């Protein structure tokens, strides 16, 4: 089915030029709203929800939701949803997109923002083509989520009844438009506060309790036990990582080399396709920090203390190949000239929460490459295919 690829690329370039790092999506939300109206979507069909009032970190705006009534022979079919996220990682701030042949590259030393301005371009192009070509389609919801990059918060806090209770959904967030992603890992996000005791490191180090040493012993224990990085325990597999190590918000871990460090804050994550196993990985970290705290004592016999907290960021899922949403996805990819690559993802997706909400959701790519790096670029051939795929998915009988 023909798509105006020049208009689709122009939209993508337009959206890439609008900064909108995670939590600061108001400007890109306004730009998407304007582009949707220009594409023929009535203003009354476009709205923001109040998910940002439920998200526990500062978020400028809610999710952007668009209602497209069904048309023609398909107007009474069950509602379907197309979704993407409108935030980027902070590394995208200051991006300068530039076309280079069949690629979009970046003139700035930042990430480009194809993740996920590509998805935004696909959804707006879908709305534009449905209106321009007056194509028959079922009722459709378009959902542009906030704060995907910092915890899938927009999808987590959306209300299902505000989406019109779709029967299935198609999410755009990945590399190739031929990828049919039907499952993804679950993850814990954990943090630990390590409390020691400050002392002059040259005059009386024995009076101190080093939080740094507690952390070092704990992480060495985790590594020795096989719980760091790629984790394989029998038939169970997962991953873990230790992220920022600080002395609290905006502070280094430790004040000076001549002071025994009394406080360290560590953040990390545990992932697995097995919903129980990523919890086991988290428990291994907790046990290691608690054990290490007891080992580090001062001359008076006092030991350090730890305060370990963990929260499930998202739950793993894997849909069956024979579900209607998967069959529709595979058929559509083939119809636009692709070879369906049915697979699972090792990263979290907004689809994790949509499936949790009860909406079976398949995820596709839209031409993004080297996301979250300064080498990021967009394959316009894949982007064009992703746009054509969306139209195919929306109009299949």
């Amino acid at each position: 089915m023909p798509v105006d690829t020049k208009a689709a690329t122009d939209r993508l370039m337009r959206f890439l030029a609008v900064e909108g790092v995670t939590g600061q999506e108001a400007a890109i939300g306004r730009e998407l709203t304007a582009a949707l109206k220009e594409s023929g979507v009535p203003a009354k069909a476009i709205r923001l929800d109040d998910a940002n009032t439920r998200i526990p970190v500062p978020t400028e705006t809610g999710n952007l939701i668009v209602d497209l009534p069904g048309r023609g022979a398909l107007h009474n079919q069950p509602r379907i949803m197309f979704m993407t996220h409108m935030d980027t990682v902070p590394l995208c701030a200051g991006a300068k997109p530039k076309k280079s042949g069949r690629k979009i590259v970046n003139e700035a030393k930042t990430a480009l923002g194809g993740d996920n301005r590509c998805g935004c371009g696909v959804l707006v192009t879908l709305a534009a083509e449905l209106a321009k070509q007056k194509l028959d389609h079922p009722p459709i919801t378009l959902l542009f989520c906030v704060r995907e990059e910092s915890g899938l918060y927009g999808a987590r806090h959306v209300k299902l009844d505000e989406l019109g209770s779709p029967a299935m959904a198609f999410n755009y967030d990945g590399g190739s438009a031929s990828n049919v992603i039907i499952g993804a890992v679950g993850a814990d996000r954990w943090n630990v506060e390590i409390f020691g005791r400050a002392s002059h490191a040259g005059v009386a180090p024995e009076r101190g309790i080093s939080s740094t040493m507690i952390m070092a012993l704990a992480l060495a224990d985790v590594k020795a036990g096989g719980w760091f990085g790629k984790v394989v325990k029998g038939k169970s597999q997962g991953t873990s990582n230790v992220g920022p190590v600080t002395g609290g918000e905006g502070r280094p871990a430790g004040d000076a080399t001549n002071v025994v460090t009394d406080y360290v804050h560590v953040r990390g994550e545990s992932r697995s396709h097995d919903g129980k196993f990523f919890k086991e990985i988290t428990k291994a970290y907790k046990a290691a920090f608690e054990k290490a705290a007891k080992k580090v004592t001062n001359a008076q016999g006092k030991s350090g203390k730890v305060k370990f907290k963990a929260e499930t960021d998202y739950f793993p899922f894997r849909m069956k190949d024979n579900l209607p949403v998967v069959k529709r996805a595979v058929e559509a990819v083939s119809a636009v000239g692709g070879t369906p690559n049915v697979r699972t993802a090792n990263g979290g997706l907004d689809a994790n929460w949509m499936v949790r909400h009860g909406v079976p959701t398949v995820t596709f790519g839209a031409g993004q490459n080297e996301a979250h790096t300064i080498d990021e670029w967009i394959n316009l051939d894949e982007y064009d295919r992703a746009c054509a795929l969306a139209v195919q998915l929306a109009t299949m009988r």
Side-chain angles (χ1 to χ4, degrees):
M1 191 165 293
V3 170
D4 186 342
T5 55
K6 182 184 183 303
T9 299
D10 289 345
R11 287 186 195 98
L12 177 54
M13 290 293 289
R14 172 182 177 179
F15 299 154
L16 285 166
V18 180
E19 194 168 298
V21 302
T22 191
Q24 299 172 29
E25 297 95 342
I28 185 61
R30 289 191 295 268
E31 197 70 25
L32 288 167
T33 297
L36 286 162
K37 291 177 181 176
E38 292 163 18
S39 300
V41 178
K44 65 181 181 181
I46 306 169
R47 67 185 188 281
L48 294 167
D49 73 2
D50 63 351
N52 56 316
T53 66
R54 297 185 294 280
I55 294 172
V57 285
T59 308
E60 285 183 345
T61 186
N63 299 307
L64 181 64
I65 302 172
V66 181
D67 299 308
L68 303 178
R71 179 190 287 125
L74 300 176
H75 79 282
N76 280 329
Q77 294 295 307
R79 177 178 292 272
I80 62 175
M81 183 167 73
F82 291 83
M83 62 184 293
T84 191
H85 65 87
M86 57 179 170
D87 61 318
T88 68
V89 292
L91 186 60
C92 295
K96 295 180 179 179
K98 174 188 175 183
K99 276 190 67 178
S100 177
R102 294 301 295 158
K103 295 181 180 180
I104 298 177
V105 296
N106 193 1
E107 292 189 295
K109 293 296 182 181
T110 68
L112 178 58
D115 178 13
N116 203 2
R117 295 293 185 264
C118 286
C120 294
V122 169
L123 265 62
V124 177
T125 295
L126 171 61
E129 294 296 335
L130 293 177
K132 179 181 176 182
Q133 299 187 45
K134 295 181 170 53
L135 299 170
D136 291 356
H137 63 81
I140 290 174
T141 299
L142 304 180
L143 172 63
F144 301 83
C145 292
V146 295
R147 271 205 181 272
E148 188 269 356
E149 297 290 6
S150 50
L152 311 182
Y153 284 115
R156 181 174 188 165
H157 291 283
V158 74
K159 293 179 179 177
L160 194 59
D161 58 358
E162 295 205 25
L163 303 176
S165 300
M168 62 180 69
F170 302 101
N171 180 42
Y172 278 87
D173 188 9
S176 170
S178 296
N179 285 339
V180 180
I181 301 173
I182 62 171
V185 293
D188 269 348
R189 190 178 300 224
W190 55 261
N191 74 86
V192 58
E193 293 181 281
I194 307 172
F195 302 93
R197 185 180 187 280
S199 180
H200 195 296
V203 176
E206 70 280 2
R207 295 181 185 174
I209 303 170
S210 173
S211 295
T212 307
M213 187 53 60
I214 293 171
M215 178 187 70
L217 290 174
L219 297 183
D221 194 17
V222 165
K223 180 69 170 64
W227 295 102
F228 176 76
K230 185 175 182 179
V231 183
V232 180
K233 300 289 181 179
K235 294 183 179 180
S236 299
Q237 293 190 28
T239 64
S240 78
N241 188 51
V242 177
V245 176
T246 69
E249 288 296 327
R251 293 186 55 211
D255 296 317
T257 59
N258 63 351
V259 179
V260 175
T261 302
D262 64 346
Y263 179 82
V264 172
H265 184 259
V266 186
R267 290 190 284 151
E269 66 168 31
S270 311
R271 300 187 183 201
S272 177
H273 287 278
D274 181 333
K276 293 182 179 178
F277 190 58
F278 72 79
K279 293 290 184 186
E280 287 186 39
I281 298 173
T282 301
K283 286 180 182 178
Y285 274 89
K286 183 175 186 290
F289 278 107
E290 290 175 345
K291 178 182 173 184
K294 293 176 182 178
K295 281 186 176 181
V296 180
T297 60
N298 65 7
Q300 288 73 45
K302 293 183 178 179
S303 63
K305 295 180 180 180
V306 297
K307 189 175 182 180
F308 190 98
K309 295 180 181 178
E311 180 183 6
T312 298
D313 246 5
Y314 43 89
F315 297 87
F317 76 98
R318 205 245 183 238
M319 298 184 297
K320 294 182 179 180
D321 293 12
N322 61 358
L323 282 183
V325 68
V326 179
K327 289 182 176 180
R328 189 180 184 110
V330 169
E331 184 180 339
V333 169
S334 298
V336 298
T339 301
N341 176 24
V342 180
R343 54 183 287 264
T344 58
N346 288 325
L349 303 163
D350 280 336
N352 287 67
W353 278 106
M354 294 317 303
V355 171
R356 189 80 176 175
H357 293 325
V359 182
T361 304
V362 165
T363 299
F364 306 100
Q368 307 96 314
N369 289 275
E370 304 290 345
H372 301 190
T373 75
I374 62 171
D375 299 316
E376 186 181 5
W377 61 281
I378 295 166
N379 182 328
L380 285 173
D381 290 335
E382 285 293 329
Y383 172 70
D384 288 350
R385 181 175 292 165
C387 292
L389 175 62
V391 176
Q392 182 70 26
L393 286 162
T395 56
M396 290 173 66
R397 296 176 185 270

